Amino acid sequence: MIFKKFDFTRDHDRCIRFLTECYRENGNITCWLPQRFDDFFFRIGSMERHKQSVDLIFVCEEKDQIVGLILPDDNAMNSCIKKGHEHIFPEMVAFAERNLAPLLKTDENGAGDFFVVSHDSLTYQADFLQKRGYTKQVAQDYDNVFHPLTQQYQLEFPKGFRLSYG
C-alpha cells in the first residue's frame, strides 16, 4: 500500500467517488459522507485551528485505486476503508501516529493525546487499538451526549405523510 498526501487537483474527485462507493456499501458506518469531506475541506478547513488538518489528509492506494483515507481533525485520526481492505487499518494507524504529530496538542512536558475515531461496530479496530494501548474515551462532546427533549412537539403532516426519522 502507498500513502500519498492529498492533492486537491489529483485527488478531490477520486475521494468523493470513493466515499460515495463506501457509503453505498456500508450505509455510513465506516466512512464519512462525501458531503462531510467537502464540509471539512472547504468550511472547517478554512478555520485557523483546522488548516493544518486539511494539509495532512492522506490517500491510501493499492494498484492506483483508493482503498483508504486518513482524515485528521485536530488531534484525532478518522479513517475510511474500502470494504474488503480492513487489513490496512493497523498500517494506517501507525502511519498516522508518525505523520499527524504536528496536530498533537502537548503539555509543558511534551505529552499529548492522539485519538483514533472508530465506530463501536468495528470490533477489529477496537481489538487492534486496545492491543496497541489505546483506551476507549468516555463521551465528552456534544456529538456523543444525549439530551432528552423536555417539550413535546406536535407535528401535523398532510394525509399519508409521517415523520420516520427526526
Side-chain angles (χ1 to χ4, degrees):
M1 179 173 54
I2 298 169
F3 292 95
K4 294 181 178 177
K5 200 169 200 180
F6 175 83
D7 174 86
F8 185 85
T9 304
R10 177 190 70 217
D11 297 320
H12 178 264
D13 291 346
R14 294 174 64 223
C15 288
I16 294 296
R17 284 193 303 275
F18 169 75
L19 292 170
T20 301
E21 290 168 16
C22 286
Y23 176 76
R24 285 182 181 145
E25 283 190 14
N26 63 45
N28 203 32
I29 295 300
T30 60
C31 74
W32 279 8
L33 286 167
Q35 297 89 331
R36 170 68 172 106
F37 180 77
D38 273 346
D39 181 60
F40 176 73
F41 194 83
F42 292 111
R43 183 183 64 87
I44 295 173
S46 67
M47 295 179 211
E48 195 59 42
R49 72 183 200 125
H50 292 283
K51 284 183 181 177
Q52 197 171 21
S53 293
V54 169
D55 292 337
L56 293 172
I57 296 172
F58 290 93
V59 178
C60 310
E61 293 183 354
E62 283 184 354
K63 300 177 185 172
D64 295 323
Q65 297 292 314
I66 298 175
V67 294
L69 292 176
I70 295 174
L71 301 157
D73 191 2
D74 279 345
N75 58 337
M77 168 201 162
N78 294 280
S79 64
C80 299
I81 300 172
K82 184 175 183 173
K83 191 173 183 176
H85 290 77
E86 292 81 5
H87 63 277
I88 69 174
F89 182 70
E91 194 174 347
M92 290 174 73
V93 170
F95 181 88
E97 287 172 343
R98 291 188 310 272
N99 291 280
L100 301 184
L103 299 176
L104 283 178
K105 295 174 184 74
T106 57
D107 62 20
E108 61 278 351
N109 299 321
D113 291 324
F114 181 72
F115 299 97
V116 176
V117 179
S118 182
H119 191 276
D120 286 342
S121 68
L122 303 176
T123 54
Y124 76 93
Q125 289 186 5
D127 292 344
F128 169 77
L129 292 168
Q130 189 173 25
K131 287 176 188 168
R132 195 160 177 99
Y134 285 81
T135 56
K136 187 174 180 177
Q137 181 185 30
V138 177
Q140 294 182 9
D141 65 17
Y142 67 90
D143 289 333
N144 298 314
V145 177
F146 175 72
H147 295 287
L149 290 175
T150 56
Q151 180 176 351
Q152 294 296 320
Y153 291 93
Q154 297 296 321
L155 301 174
E156 303 232 358
F157 295 100
K159 187 176 180 177
F161 289 87
R162 64 182 171 86
L163 181 65
S164 63
Y165 182 76

